[in-house]
Amino acid sequence: MRDGKVEGSIKNLNEQFMLLIQLFWTFFRIGPSTFGGGYAMLPIIEREVVHKKKWMQEDEIGELISLAGSAPGGVGVNAAAMIGHRQAGIMGAVSAVIGVTCPTFLIVILISVFAILFRNQPKVEAALNGMNGGIIALISMAAYRTARYSILDTTTAIAAIVTVAVLLFAGIHPLYLIISGLICGMAVIRIKNRLGLQVKMEKKSGTGSYPELEYYI
Amino acid sequence: MYWDLFMMFIRVGLVSFGGGYAVIPIIQHEVTEKGWLTSAEFQQTVALAGMAPGSIATNAATLIGYRTAGYIGAAVSTAGMILPSLVVIVILSALFYRIHDNSWVKSSLYGLRPVTTGLIIYAAIHFGYPTEDTGLSWVWIATLLISGVCLFLLLKYKLHPLLILTVAGAAGIILF
């Protein structure tokens, strides 16, 4: 693994600056190319970063993606940050993230300006109501796909069901559920190991190098 | 106001494991509790967020920021949403090989992922609930009908999300 920071100090400032611009521009172009974000970006990131720019090896990117998927935040933004950091340290991470965010930010602003302009048109209202149905379908699909790699055994199934029940009936802040999920995970694994039970902690995806999530996350 | 938005999305961004749809209930909880948006307004915002490329969570942050405090609101919300990821990633990639196969990390993810799934399931159920606007009416039934058809199209024909939203929007114009 190359160290971006050490390399950066050897390079002269001009080269360093050009690298930052390159990182920004590469991710600026990747940003808007995918709808639904995240995992749809990954093949494009791989093509750009591994094959065109040769910033990384092909086997490195799989590990990078699994880590990007586990950290908080969208996987696209996380992958950009990691690649940027590898190439040019913290400044590299910042410019890659700004690059990947800028185009969508501008598009969203444009959409909201139009939405506010046409808000009281009955047809627009009707279309938005219809899209609500579409969103329900997209979210259900995301739930189904996430469940396939997160529900590994009875314990995880119960955890998911309890989460839904608590959210529906108790109205507590979801943050507490996330924290208890983290703690319970560690506790359950320790207890099961103590009892000598085998626990499968990850599902290996059979097809390709990406988890089968595609563009729903 | 800007500071409130920024701090709120910093909090949301910090716990946005699994990205996208899992964060929707968290944002909703925060936004409706503060009285910035009603439940129905929030659902419209998410529908719009789905239309733009990129992560639905970041897009929702931009939209909510814009609705509550204009352009600067949009900018600070988006920055707030992204900043925690950036910081965590920089720390993680500095520790990359040490942390990757750590059993504590793996076991916490084992517990975290089903919770994330639960959050997404809840978001789907919540969006299917009748809101104060629709009630148990024709609009509500039609919405569920549209979502059923869309789900079928997604599963059977693997249509692109944008296409799904376009179909759903067109169906809305016809039905409502």
Side-chain angles (χ1 to χ4, degrees), chain A residues 23-58:
Chain A
L23 279 166
F24 174 83
W25 183 237
T26 303
F27 284 102
F28 188 87
R29 281 181 298 131
I30 293 172
S33 59
T34 47
F35 282 81
Y39 287 88
M41 267 182 208
L42 298 179
I44 301 166
I45 291 180
E46 185 177 340
R47 199 180 62 210
E48 284 284 327
V49 171
V50 178
H51 301 295
K52 278 198 189 160
K53 297 265 190 264
K54 311 245 183 263
W55 282 338
M56 271 184 161
Q57 308 268 301
E58 204 160 345

PDB file of all heavy atoms in Angstrom, chain A residues 23-58:
ATOM      1  N   LEU A  23      -8.449  14.372  -9.136  1.00  0.00           N
ATOM      2  CA  LEU A  23      -9.364  13.644  -8.253  1.00  0.00           C
ATOM      3  C   LEU A  23     -10.746  14.283  -8.279  1.00  0.00           C
ATOM      4  O   LEU A  23     -11.763  13.602  -8.434  1.00  0.00           O
ATOM      5  CB  LEU A  23      -8.834  13.651  -6.813  1.00  0.00           C
ATOM      6  CG  LEU A  23      -7.750  12.630  -6.481  1.00  0.00           C
ATOM      7  CD1 LEU A  23      -7.086  12.971  -5.166  1.00  0.00           C
ATOM      8  CD2 LEU A  23      -8.333  11.230  -6.433  1.00  0.00           C
ATOM      9  N   PHE A  24     -10.748  15.601  -8.165  1.00  0.00           N
ATOM     10  CA  PHE A  24     -12.019  16.321  -8.184  1.00  0.00           C
ATOM     11  C   PHE A  24     -12.765  16.046  -9.476  1.00  0.00           C
ATOM     12  O   PHE A  24     -13.928  15.663  -9.477  1.00  0.00           O
ATOM     13  CB  PHE A  24     -11.775  17.828  -8.031  1.00  0.00           C
ATOM     14  CG  PHE A  24     -13.016  18.661  -8.188  1.00  0.00           C
ATOM     15  CD1 PHE A  24     -13.883  18.842  -7.124  1.00  0.00           C
ATOM     16  CD2 PHE A  24     -13.331  19.243  -9.408  1.00  0.00           C
ATOM     17  CE1 PHE A  24     -15.042  19.584  -7.271  1.00  0.00           C
ATOM     18  CE2 PHE A  24     -14.491  19.988  -9.566  1.00  0.00           C
ATOM     19  CZ  PHE A  24     -15.338  20.157  -8.498  1.00  0.00           C
ATOM     20  N   TRP A  25     -12.076  16.170 -10.600  1.00  0.00           N
ATOM     21  CA  TRP A  25     -12.723  16.075 -11.904  1.00  0.00           C
ATOM     22  C   TRP A  25     -13.201  14.640 -12.181  1.00  0.00           C
ATOM     23  O   TRP A  25     -14.299  14.431 -12.703  1.00  0.00           O
ATOM     24  CB  TRP A  25     -11.772  16.584 -12.984  1.00  0.00           C
ATOM     25  CG  TRP A  25     -12.384  16.586 -14.353  1.00  0.00           C
ATOM     26  CD1 TRP A  25     -11.905  15.952 -15.461  1.00  0.00           C
ATOM     27  CD2 TRP A  25     -13.581  17.257 -14.778  1.00  0.00           C
ATOM     28  NE1 TRP A  25     -12.731  16.174 -16.525  1.00  0.00           N
ATOM     29  CE2 TRP A  25     -13.768  16.972 -16.136  1.00  0.00           C
ATOM     30  CE3 TRP A  25     -14.526  18.057 -14.107  1.00  0.00           C
ATOM     31  CZ2 TRP A  25     -14.853  17.463 -16.863  1.00  0.00           C
ATOM     32  CZ3 TRP A  25     -15.612  18.547 -14.831  1.00  0.00           C
ATOM     33  CH2 TRP A  25     -15.759  18.251 -16.192  1.00  0.00           C
ATOM     34  N   THR A  26     -12.376  13.651 -11.802  1.00  0.00           N
ATOM     35  CA  THR A  26     -12.776  12.247 -12.005  1.00  0.00           C
ATOM     36  C   THR A  26     -14.079  11.967 -11.272  1.00  0.00           C
ATOM     37  O   THR A  26     -15.023  11.421 -11.843  1.00  0.00           O
ATOM     38  CB  THR A  26     -11.679  11.311 -11.467  1.00  0.00           C
ATOM     39  OG1 THR A  26     -10.458  11.626 -12.119  1.00  0.00           O
ATOM     40  CG2 THR A  26     -12.025   9.862 -11.723  1.00  0.00           C
ATOM     41  N   PHE A  27     -14.141  12.368 -10.008  1.00  0.00           N
ATOM     42  CA  PHE A  27     -15.341  12.068  -9.230  1.00  0.00           C
ATOM     43  C   PHE A  27     -16.500  12.984  -9.584  1.00  0.00           C
ATOM     44  O   PHE A  27     -17.657  12.606  -9.425  1.00  0.00           O
ATOM     45  CB  PHE A  27     -15.028  12.081  -7.730  1.00  0.00           C
ATOM     46  CG  PHE A  27     -14.309  10.840  -7.313  1.00  0.00           C
ATOM     47  CD1 PHE A  27     -12.945  10.839  -7.094  1.00  0.00           C
ATOM     48  CD2 PHE A  27     -15.006   9.652  -7.197  1.00  0.00           C
ATOM     49  CE1 PHE A  27     -12.287   9.677  -6.756  1.00  0.00           C
ATOM     50  CE2 PHE A  27     -14.357   8.483  -6.854  1.00  0.00           C
ATOM     51  CZ  PHE A  27     -12.983   8.495  -6.633  1.00  0.00           C
ATOM     52  N   PHE A  28     -16.194  14.157 -10.095  1.00  0.00           N
ATOM     53  CA  PHE A  28     -17.241  15.059 -10.555  1.00  0.00           C
ATOM     54  C   PHE A  28     -18.009  14.403 -11.701  1.00  0.00           C
ATOM     55  O   PHE A  28     -19.226  14.516 -11.812  1.00  0.00           O
ATOM     56  CB  PHE A  28     -16.624  16.389 -11.017  1.00  0.00           C
ATOM     57  CG  PHE A  28     -17.626  17.459 -11.336  1.00  0.00           C
ATOM     58  CD1 PHE A  28     -18.104  18.294 -10.337  1.00  0.00           C
ATOM     59  CD2 PHE A  28     -18.103  17.636 -12.627  1.00  0.00           C
ATOM     60  CE1 PHE A  28     -19.032  19.287 -10.626  1.00  0.00           C
ATOM     61  CE2 PHE A  28     -19.037  18.633 -12.917  1.00  0.00           C
ATOM     62  CZ  PHE A  28     -19.494  19.457 -11.905  1.00  0.00           C
ATOM     63  N   ARG A  29     -17.269  13.699 -12.572  1.00  0.00           N
ATOM     64  CA  ARG A  29     -17.923  13.041 -13.701  1.00  0.00           C
ATOM     65  C   ARG A  29     -18.645  11.763 -13.271  1.00  0.00           C
ATOM     66  O   ARG A  29     -19.654  11.389 -13.851  1.00  0.00           O
ATOM     67  CB  ARG A  29     -16.912  12.741 -14.802  1.00  0.00           C
ATOM     68  CG  ARG A  29     -16.594  13.990 -15.633  1.00  0.00           C
ATOM     69  CD  ARG A  29     -15.611  13.663 -16.722  1.00  0.00           C
ATOM     70  NE  ARG A  29     -14.357  13.206 -16.146  1.00  0.00           N
ATOM     71  CZ  ARG A  29     -13.719  12.110 -16.538  1.00  0.00           C
ATOM     72  NH1 ARG A  29     -14.223  11.356 -17.480  1.00  0.00           N
ATOM     73  NH2 ARG A  29     -12.592  11.774 -15.970  1.00  0.00           N
ATOM     74  N   ILE A  30     -18.108  11.078 -12.262  1.00  0.00           N
ATOM     75  CA  ILE A  30     -18.756   9.849 -11.810  1.00  0.00           C
ATOM     76  C   ILE A  30     -20.049  10.173 -11.055  1.00  0.00           C
ATOM     77  O   ILE A  30     -21.054   9.481 -11.196  1.00  0.00           O
ATOM     78  CB  ILE A  30     -17.800   9.034 -10.899  1.00  0.00           C
ATOM     79  CG1 ILE A  30     -16.617   8.525 -11.713  1.00  0.00           C
ATOM     80  CG2 ILE A  30     -18.530   7.875 -10.244  1.00  0.00           C
ATOM     81  CD1 ILE A  30     -15.521   7.878 -10.878  1.00  0.00           C
ATOM     82  N   GLY A  31     -20.029  11.259 -10.286  1.00  0.00           N
ATOM     83  CA  GLY A  31     -21.149  11.634  -9.421  1.00  0.00           C
ATOM     84  C   GLY A  31     -22.532  11.515 -10.054  1.00  0.00           C
ATOM     85  O   GLY A  31     -23.379  10.775  -9.553  1.00  0.00           O
ATOM     86  N   PRO A  32     -22.793  12.244 -11.149  1.00  0.00           N
ATOM     87  CA  PRO A  32     -24.164  12.249 -11.661  1.00  0.00           C
ATOM     88  C   PRO A  32     -24.497  11.065 -12.565  1.00  0.00           C
ATOM     89  O   PRO A  32     -25.611  10.956 -13.047  1.00  0.00           O
ATOM     90  CB  PRO A  32     -24.212  13.548 -12.475  1.00  0.00           C
ATOM     91  CG  PRO A  32     -22.823  13.749 -12.934  1.00  0.00           C
ATOM     92  CD  PRO A  32     -21.938  13.172 -11.870  1.00  0.00           C
ATOM     93  N   SER A  33     -23.531  10.160 -12.786  1.00  0.00           N
ATOM     94  CA  SER A  33     -23.769   9.126 -13.792  1.00  0.00           C
ATOM     95  C   SER A  33     -24.711   8.046 -13.301  1.00  0.00           C
ATOM     96  O   SER A  33     -25.142   7.206 -14.061  1.00  0.00           O
ATOM     97  CB  SER A  33     -22.445   8.507 -14.231  1.00  0.00           C
ATOM     98  OG  SER A  33     -21.806   7.953 -13.121  1.00  0.00           O
ATOM     99  N   THR A  34     -25.027   8.053 -12.012  1.00  0.00           N
ATOM    100  CA  THR A  34     -25.875   6.971 -11.518  1.00  0.00           C
ATOM    101  C   THR A  34     -27.001   7.488 -10.652  1.00  0.00           C
ATOM    102  O   THR A  34     -26.807   8.295  -9.771  1.00  0.00           O
ATOM    103  CB  THR A  34     -25.053   6.002 -10.670  1.00  0.00           C
ATOM    104  OG1 THR A  34     -24.275   6.769  -9.780  1.00  0.00           O
ATOM    105  CG2 THR A  34     -24.185   5.143 -11.532  1.00  0.00           C
ATOM    106  N   PHE A  35     -28.168   6.956 -10.905  1.00  0.00           N
ATOM    107  CA  PHE A  35     -29.318   7.304 -10.094  1.00  0.00           C
ATOM    108  C   PHE A  35     -29.463   6.289  -8.976  1.00  0.00           C
ATOM    109  O   PHE A  35     -29.159   5.124  -9.149  1.00  0.00           O
ATOM    110  CB  PHE A  35     -30.565   7.344 -10.953  1.00  0.00           C
ATOM    111  CG  PHE A  35     -30.636   8.597 -11.742  1.00  0.00           C
ATOM    112  CD1 PHE A  35     -29.923   8.726 -12.914  1.00  0.00           C
ATOM    113  CD2 PHE A  35     -31.374   9.657 -11.275  1.00  0.00           C
ATOM    114  CE1 PHE A  35     -29.962   9.899 -13.628  1.00  0.00           C
ATOM    115  CE2 PHE A  35     -31.415  10.830 -11.980  1.00  0.00           C
ATOM    116  CZ  PHE A  35     -30.710  10.954 -13.166  1.00  0.00           C
ATOM    117  N   GLY A  36     -29.940   6.766  -7.829  1.00  0.00           N
ATOM    118  CA  GLY A  36     -30.040   5.868  -6.694  1.00  0.00           C
ATOM    119  C   GLY A  36     -28.708   5.734  -5.986  1.00  0.00           C
ATOM    120  O   GLY A  36     -28.617   5.168  -4.920  1.00  0.00           O
ATOM    121  N   GLY A  37     -27.669   6.301  -6.567  1.00  0.00           N
ATOM    122  CA  GLY A  37     -26.375   6.413  -5.899  1.00  0.00           C
ATOM    123  C   GLY A  37     -25.713   5.087  -5.577  1.00  0.00           C
ATOM    124  O   GLY A  37     -26.061   4.044  -6.108  1.00  0.00           O
ATOM    125  N   GLY A  38     -24.750   5.167  -4.694  1.00  0.00           N
ATOM    126  CA  GLY A  38     -24.105   4.017  -4.091  1.00  0.00           C
ATOM    127  C   GLY A  38     -23.561   2.965  -5.028  1.00  0.00           C
ATOM    128  O   GLY A  38     -22.662   3.227  -5.812  1.00  0.00           O
ATOM    129  N   TYR A  39     -24.119   1.779  -4.893  1.00  0.00           N
ATOM    130  CA  TYR A  39     -23.501   0.632  -5.512  1.00  0.00           C
ATOM    131  C   TYR A  39     -23.485   0.667  -7.035  1.00  0.00           C
ATOM    132  O   TYR A  39     -22.692  -0.023  -7.661  1.00  0.00           O
ATOM    133  CB  TYR A  39     -24.170  -0.650  -5.003  1.00  0.00           C
ATOM    134  CG  TYR A  39     -23.768  -0.942  -3.587  1.00  0.00           C
ATOM    135  CD1 TYR A  39     -24.462  -0.417  -2.525  1.00  0.00           C
ATOM    136  CD2 TYR A  39     -22.629  -1.695  -3.324  1.00  0.00           C
ATOM    137  CE1 TYR A  39     -24.064  -0.646  -1.225  1.00  0.00           C
ATOM    138  CE2 TYR A  39     -22.228  -1.935  -2.030  1.00  0.00           C
ATOM    139  CZ  TYR A  39     -22.949  -1.412  -0.977  1.00  0.00           C
ATOM    140  OH  TYR A  39     -22.536  -1.643   0.296  1.00  0.00           O
ATOM    141  N   ALA A  40     -24.358   1.463  -7.636  1.00  0.00           N
ATOM    142  CA  ALA A  40     -24.334   1.581  -9.088  1.00  0.00           C
ATOM    143  C   ALA A  40     -23.075   2.302  -9.546  1.00  0.00           C
ATOM    144  O   ALA A  40     -22.608   2.120 -10.663  1.00  0.00           O
ATOM    145  CB  ALA A  40     -25.571   2.319  -9.569  1.00  0.00           C
ATOM    146  N   MET A  41     -22.532   3.139  -8.654  1.00  0.00           N
ATOM    147  CA  MET A  41     -21.323   3.889  -8.985  1.00  0.00           C
ATOM    148  C   MET A  41     -20.090   3.002  -9.051  1.00  0.00           C
ATOM    149  O   MET A  41     -19.121   3.325  -9.714  1.00  0.00           O
ATOM    150  CB  MET A  41     -21.057   4.920  -7.895  1.00  0.00           C
ATOM    151  CG  MET A  41     -21.634   6.263  -8.152  1.00  0.00           C
ATOM    152  SD  MET A  41     -21.139   7.298  -6.769  1.00  0.00           S
ATOM    153  CE  MET A  41     -22.505   8.439  -6.777  1.00  0.00           C
ATOM    154  N   LEU A  42     -20.116   1.883  -8.313  1.00  0.00           N
ATOM    155  CA  LEU A  42     -18.887   1.136  -8.092  1.00  0.00           C
ATOM    156  C   LEU A  42     -18.221   0.614  -9.376  1.00  0.00           C
ATOM    157  O   LEU A  42     -17.016   0.764  -9.526  1.00  0.00           O
ATOM    158  CB  LEU A  42     -19.120   0.023  -7.077  1.00  0.00           C
ATOM    159  CG  LEU A  42     -19.536   0.564  -5.701  1.00  0.00           C
ATOM    160  CD1 LEU A  42     -19.788  -0.573  -4.743  1.00  0.00           C
ATOM    161  CD2 LEU A  42     -18.487   1.504  -5.137  1.00  0.00           C
ATOM    162  N   PRO A  43     -18.998   0.007 -10.299  1.00  0.00           N
ATOM    163  CA  PRO A  43     -18.333  -0.434 -11.525  1.00  0.00           C
ATOM    164  C   PRO A  43     -17.698   0.732 -12.281  1.00  0.00           C
ATOM    165  O   PRO A  43     -16.618   0.591 -12.861  1.00  0.00           O
ATOM    166  CB  PRO A  43     -19.469  -1.047 -12.349  1.00  0.00           C
ATOM    167  CG  PRO A  43     -20.550  -1.329 -11.390  1.00  0.00           C
ATOM    168  CD  PRO A  43     -20.408  -0.344 -10.288  1.00  0.00           C
ATOM    169  N   ILE A  44     -18.352   1.900 -12.239  1.00  0.00           N
ATOM    170  CA  ILE A  44     -17.819   3.067 -12.947  1.00  0.00           C
ATOM    171  C   ILE A  44     -16.565   3.564 -12.242  1.00  0.00           C
ATOM    172  O   ILE A  44     -15.565   3.900 -12.881  1.00  0.00           O
ATOM    173  CB  ILE A  44     -18.885   4.173 -13.032  1.00  0.00           C
ATOM    174  CG1 ILE A  44     -20.102   3.611 -13.761  1.00  0.00           C
ATOM    175  CG2 ILE A  44     -18.361   5.387 -13.749  1.00  0.00           C
ATOM    176  CD1 ILE A  44     -21.334   4.454 -13.628  1.00  0.00           C
ATOM    177  N   ILE A  45     -16.602   3.586 -10.911  1.00  0.00           N
ATOM    178  CA  ILE A  45     -15.410   3.975 -10.151  1.00  0.00           C
ATOM    179  C   ILE A  45     -14.259   3.032 -10.487  1.00  0.00           C
ATOM    180  O   ILE A  45     -13.135   3.459 -10.745  1.00  0.00           O
ATOM    181  CB  ILE A  45     -15.698   3.969  -8.628  1.00  0.00           C
ATOM    182  CG1 ILE A  45     -16.654   5.110  -8.274  1.00  0.00           C
ATOM    183  CG2 ILE A  45     -14.401   4.104  -7.824  1.00  0.00           C
ATOM    184  CD1 ILE A  45     -17.005   5.199  -6.804  1.00  0.00           C
ATOM    185  N   GLU A  46     -14.567   1.737 -10.528  1.00  0.00           N
ATOM    186  CA  GLU A  46     -13.519   0.763 -10.822  1.00  0.00           C
ATOM    187  C   GLU A  46     -12.908   1.008 -12.197  1.00  0.00           C
ATOM    188  O   GLU A  46     -11.693   0.998 -12.372  1.00  0.00           O
ATOM    189  CB  GLU A  46     -14.079  -0.661 -10.737  1.00  0.00           C
ATOM    190  CG  GLU A  46     -12.981  -1.696 -10.920  1.00  0.00           C
ATOM    191  CD  GLU A  46     -13.473  -3.123 -10.777  1.00  0.00           C
ATOM    192  OE1 GLU A  46     -14.535  -3.340 -10.183  1.00  0.00           O
ATOM    193  OE2 GLU A  46     -12.771  -4.010 -11.284  1.00  0.00           O
ATOM    194  N   ARG A  47     -13.779   1.248 -13.173  1.00  0.00           N
ATOM    195  CA  ARG A  47     -13.286   1.473 -14.537  1.00  0.00           C
ATOM    196  C   ARG A  47     -12.350   2.680 -14.591  1.00  0.00           C
ATOM    197  O   ARG A  47     -11.273   2.634 -15.159  1.00  0.00           O
ATOM    198  CB  ARG A  47     -14.472   1.681 -15.478  1.00  0.00           C
ATOM    199  CG  ARG A  47     -14.118   1.465 -16.940  1.00  0.00           C
ATOM    200  CD  ARG A  47     -15.317   1.690 -17.828  1.00  0.00           C
ATOM    201  NE  ARG A  47     -15.802   3.057 -17.715  1.00  0.00           N
ATOM    202  CZ  ARG A  47     -17.080   3.397 -17.870  1.00  0.00           C
ATOM    203  NH1 ARG A  47     -17.994   2.478 -18.095  1.00  0.00           N
ATOM    204  NH2 ARG A  47     -17.452   4.652 -17.767  1.00  0.00           N
ATOM    205  N   GLU A  48     -12.782   3.765 -13.947  1.00  0.00           N
ATOM    206  CA  GLU A  48     -11.997   4.996 -13.974  1.00  0.00           C
ATOM    207  C   GLU A  48     -10.699   4.867 -13.188  1.00  0.00           C
ATOM    208  O   GLU A  48      -9.628   5.230 -13.657  1.00  0.00           O
ATOM    209  CB  GLU A  48     -12.821   6.152 -13.385  1.00  0.00           C
ATOM    210  CG  GLU A  48     -13.878   6.703 -14.303  1.00  0.00           C
ATOM    211  CD  GLU A  48     -13.293   7.589 -15.389  1.00  0.00           C
ATOM    212  OE1 GLU A  48     -12.285   8.268 -15.121  1.00  0.00           O
ATOM    213  OE2 GLU A  48     -13.837   7.573 -16.512  1.00  0.00           O
ATOM    214  N   VAL A  49     -10.832   4.352 -11.966  1.00  0.00           N
ATOM    215  CA  VAL A  49      -9.724   4.393 -11.015  1.00  0.00           C
ATOM    216  C   VAL A  49      -8.709   3.281 -11.263  1.00  0.00           C
ATOM    217  O   VAL A  49      -7.498   3.494 -11.165  1.00  0.00           O
ATOM    218  CB  VAL A  49     -10.268   4.324  -9.568  1.00  0.00           C
ATOM    219  CG1 VAL A  49      -9.154   4.148  -8.569  1.00  0.00           C
ATOM    220  CG2 VAL A  49     -11.061   5.579  -9.258  1.00  0.00           C
ATOM    221  N   VAL A  50      -9.190   2.090 -11.612  1.00  0.00           N
ATOM    222  CA  VAL A  50      -8.278   0.969 -11.810  1.00  0.00           C
ATOM    223  C   VAL A  50      -7.754   0.928 -13.244  1.00  0.00           C
ATOM    224  O   VAL A  50      -6.557   0.858 -13.477  1.00  0.00           O
ATOM    225  CB  VAL A  50      -8.966  -0.370 -11.457  1.00  0.00           C
ATOM    226  CG1 VAL A  50      -8.025  -1.532 -11.717  1.00  0.00           C
ATOM    227  CG2 VAL A  50      -9.413  -0.352 -10.014  1.00  0.00           C
ATOM    228  N   HIS A  51      -8.668   0.984 -14.214  1.00  0.00           N
ATOM    229  CA  HIS A  51      -8.249   0.761 -15.594  1.00  0.00           C
ATOM    230  C   HIS A  51      -7.728   2.011 -16.280  1.00  0.00           C
ATOM    231  O   HIS A  51      -6.712   1.975 -16.958  1.00  0.00           O
ATOM    232  CB  HIS A  51      -9.396   0.149 -16.393  1.00  0.00           C
ATOM    233  CG  HIS A  51      -9.851  -1.164 -15.818  1.00  0.00           C
ATOM    234  ND1 HIS A  51      -9.029  -2.259 -15.793  1.00  0.00           N
ATOM    235  CD2 HIS A  51     -10.997  -1.517 -15.199  1.00  0.00           C
ATOM    236  CE1 HIS A  51      -9.676  -3.254 -15.198  1.00  0.00           C
ATOM    237  NE2 HIS A  51     -10.881  -2.832 -14.823  1.00  0.00           N
ATOM    238  N   LYS A  52      -8.411   3.139 -16.088  1.00  0.00           N
ATOM    239  CA  LYS A  52      -7.972   4.337 -16.795  1.00  0.00           C
ATOM    240  C   LYS A  52      -6.828   5.043 -16.079  1.00  0.00           C
ATOM    241  O   LYS A  52      -5.784   5.295 -16.630  1.00  0.00           O
ATOM    242  CB  LYS A  52      -9.145   5.303 -16.972  1.00  0.00           C
ATOM    243  CG  LYS A  52     -10.031   4.942 -18.152  1.00  0.00           C
ATOM    244  CD  LYS A  52     -10.875   6.133 -18.533  1.00  0.00           C
ATOM    245  CE  LYS A  52     -11.918   5.758 -19.565  1.00  0.00           C
ATOM    246  NZ  LYS A  52     -13.010   6.749 -19.579  1.00  0.00           N
ATOM    247  N   LYS A  53      -7.044   5.376 -14.802  1.00  0.00           N
ATOM    248  CA  LYS A  53      -6.062   6.192 -14.091  1.00  0.00           C
ATOM    249  C   LYS A  53      -4.958   5.362 -13.439  1.00  0.00           C
ATOM    250  O   LYS A  53      -3.938   5.896 -13.047  1.00  0.00           O
ATOM    251  CB  LYS A  53      -6.768   7.029 -13.010  1.00  0.00           C
ATOM    252  CG  LYS A  53      -7.768   8.036 -13.564  1.00  0.00           C
ATOM    253  CD  LYS A  53      -7.133   9.397 -13.737  1.00  0.00           C
ATOM    254  CE  LYS A  53      -8.174  10.458 -14.060  1.00  0.00           C
ATOM    255  NZ  LYS A  53      -8.295  10.716 -15.504  1.00  0.00           N
ATOM    256  N   LYS A  54      -5.209   4.065 -13.272  1.00  0.00           N
ATOM    257  CA  LYS A  54      -4.246   3.163 -12.625  1.00  0.00           C
ATOM    258  C   LYS A  54      -3.829   3.660 -11.236  1.00  0.00           C
ATOM    259  O   LYS A  54      -2.664   3.607 -10.854  1.00  0.00           O
ATOM    260  CB  LYS A  54      -2.991   2.991 -13.503  1.00  0.00           C
ATOM    261  CG  LYS A  54      -3.296   2.659 -14.953  1.00  0.00           C
ATOM    262  CD  LYS A  54      -2.792   1.281 -15.326  1.00  0.00           C
ATOM    263  CE  LYS A  54      -3.012   0.964 -16.786  1.00  0.00           C
ATOM    264  NZ  LYS A  54      -4.200   0.180 -17.079  1.00  0.00           N
ATOM    265  N   TRP A  55      -4.805   4.181 -10.511  1.00  0.00           N
ATOM    266  CA  TRP A  55      -4.530   4.629  -9.150  1.00  0.00           C
ATOM    267  C   TRP A  55      -4.498   3.447  -8.191  1.00  0.00           C
ATOM    268  O   TRP A  55      -3.950   3.523  -7.104  1.00  0.00           O
ATOM    269  CB  TRP A  55      -5.592   5.636  -8.695  1.00  0.00           C
ATOM    270  CG  TRP A  55      -5.387   7.008  -9.254  1.00  0.00           C
ATOM    271  CD1 TRP A  55      -4.230   7.520  -9.725  1.00  0.00           C
ATOM    272  CD2 TRP A  55      -6.374   8.022  -9.396  1.00  0.00           C
ATOM    273  NE1 TRP A  55      -4.421   8.805 -10.150  1.00  0.00           N
ATOM    274  CE2 TRP A  55      -5.726   9.141  -9.957  1.00  0.00           C
ATOM    275  CE3 TRP A  55      -7.736   8.119  -9.099  1.00  0.00           C
ATOM    276  CZ2 TRP A  55      -6.401  10.330 -10.229  1.00  0.00           C
ATOM    277  CZ3 TRP A  55      -8.394   9.304  -9.352  1.00  0.00           C
ATOM    278  CH2 TRP A  55      -7.735  10.400  -9.917  1.00  0.00           C
ATOM    279  N   MET A  56      -5.163   2.362  -8.576  1.00  0.00           N
ATOM    280  CA  MET A  56      -5.284   1.218  -7.681  1.00  0.00           C
ATOM    281  C   MET A  56      -5.248  -0.080  -8.445  1.00  0.00           C
ATOM    282  O   MET A  56      -5.518  -0.120  -9.637  1.00  0.00           O
ATOM    283  CB  MET A  56      -6.633   1.289  -6.969  1.00  0.00           C
ATOM    284  CG  MET A  56      -6.574   2.055  -5.708  1.00  0.00           C
ATOM    285  SD  MET A  56      -8.165   1.969  -4.918  1.00  0.00           S
ATOM    286  CE  MET A  56      -7.670   2.402  -3.302  1.00  0.00           C
ATOM    287  N   GLN A  57      -4.935  -1.167  -7.700  1.00  0.00           N
ATOM    288  CA  GLN A  57      -4.978  -2.506  -8.285  1.00  0.00           C
ATOM    289  C   GLN A  57      -6.407  -3.042  -8.188  1.00  0.00           C
ATOM    290  O   GLN A  57      -7.157  -2.639  -7.327  1.00  0.00           O
ATOM    291  CB  GLN A  57      -4.057  -3.438  -7.509  1.00  0.00           C
ATOM    292  CG  GLN A  57      -2.665  -2.915  -7.354  1.00  0.00           C
ATOM    293  CD  GLN A  57      -1.778  -3.397  -8.461  1.00  0.00           C
ATOM    294  OE1 GLN A  57      -1.614  -4.590  -8.651  1.00  0.00           O
ATOM    295  NE2 GLN A  57      -1.219  -2.472  -9.222  1.00  0.00           N
ATOM    296  N   GLU A  58      -6.702  -4.003  -9.061  1.00  0.00           N
ATOM    297  CA  GLU A  58      -8.063  -4.530  -9.091  1.00  0.00           C
ATOM    298  C   GLU A  58      -8.436  -5.237  -7.777  1.00  0.00           C
ATOM    299  O   GLU A  58      -9.555  -5.131  -7.306  1.00  0.00           O
ATOM    300  CB  GLU A  58      -8.199  -5.500 -10.261  1.00  0.00           C
ATOM    301  CG  GLU A  58      -9.620  -5.630 -10.722  1.00  0.00           C
ATOM    302  CD  GLU A  58      -9.711  -6.168 -12.139  1.00  0.00           C
ATOM    303  OE1 GLU A  58      -8.690  -6.159 -12.843  1.00  0.00           O
ATOM    304  OE2 GLU A  58     -10.809  -6.610 -12.502  1.00  0.00           O
TER     305      GLU A  58
END
